[in-house]
Amino acid sequence: MLEQDTYALTDPRELRSLIHGHGWATLITAADDGPVVSHLPVLLDHEGSDGADDAGDVPAIVGHLARTDAELHRLGERKVAVVIQGPHGYVSPSMYEAVPYVPTWNYVVVHLHGQPDILDAEATYDVLRRTVDHFETARPKPWSLDSVTPYARSIAPHTTGFRLTPTRVVAKHKLSQEKPRDVAARVADALAGEDPHRNPELADAMRKALVSGV
């Protein structure tokens, strides 16, 4: 994780937008015999239809994972780090159309640190329902957990829901900000075009950073 201030991402709205749009996260706990790592979906704790979070500057999240995995993490007893990866991709020196440059990797990411709170059964079920609704929104006919309530209720106890209000947030967006604007713009154009490493989402993030100047 690069520590240069050039790449710091501190705007709370940008952080919430990142979490809203990239809900597949990595949960890491330092256990006695080594790290425990799980992958799981997360949501903003307080989220409107546009991804806005009205709970303040700290992007609190909720999520769930298999109960057996939660037990391995000793979830709720230890501090964790949750990593949420946004757009990222390889940048070839040929994209710069200038010299001298070397390959790099551009990315947007946030690390949320803290000790999660375990949710009770009903709050966990609400997280399950919200998670389904969140990812089904893009479908023409969204599927609802309510359509299989008896079955969903029968398997829900095998999951553990949690809420994490971070005590530390570290976020970076390394998007060629240190390069001359015309050079960074050419990289964004290459990523948005027909380059073998085409990456429109990363190109959009770079252009946004160019416009904002951060």
Side-chain angles (χ1 to χ4, degrees), residues 8-22:
L9 180 59
T10 58
D11 184 336
R13 189 168 186 85
E14 291 294 325
L15 293 175
R16 293 191 290 267
S17 177
L18 172 61
I19 297 168
H20 175 75
H22 299 83

Side-chain angles (χ1 to χ4, degrees), residues 79-162:
K79 292 181 179 180
V80 305
V82 175
V83 180
I84 301 171
Q85 177 72 65
H88 64 95
Y90 176 77
V91 175
S92 168
S94 61
M95 297 178 183
Y96 295 118
E97 299 180 17
V99 293
Y101 289 112
V102 295
T104 192
W105 201 278
N106 280 359
Y107 62 87
V108 184
V109 68
V110 60
H111 297 178
L112 306 177
H113 300 261
Q115 186 163 318
D117 297 317
I118 301 300
L119 301 178
D120 63 25
E122 199 55 38
T124 293
Y125 193 81
D126 184 61
V127 169
L128 297 175
R129 182 190 293 110
R130 284 184 54 200
T131 301
V132 171
D133 291 346
H134 175 81
F135 290 103
E136 284 284 330
T137 299
R139 300 186 63 81
K141 295 181 179 179
W143 184 88
S144 171
L145 196 64
D146 293 337
S147 65
V148 291
T149 297
Y151 176 68
R153 288 283 185 182
S154 72
I155 63 174
H158 298 287
T159 65
T160 298
F162 68 90

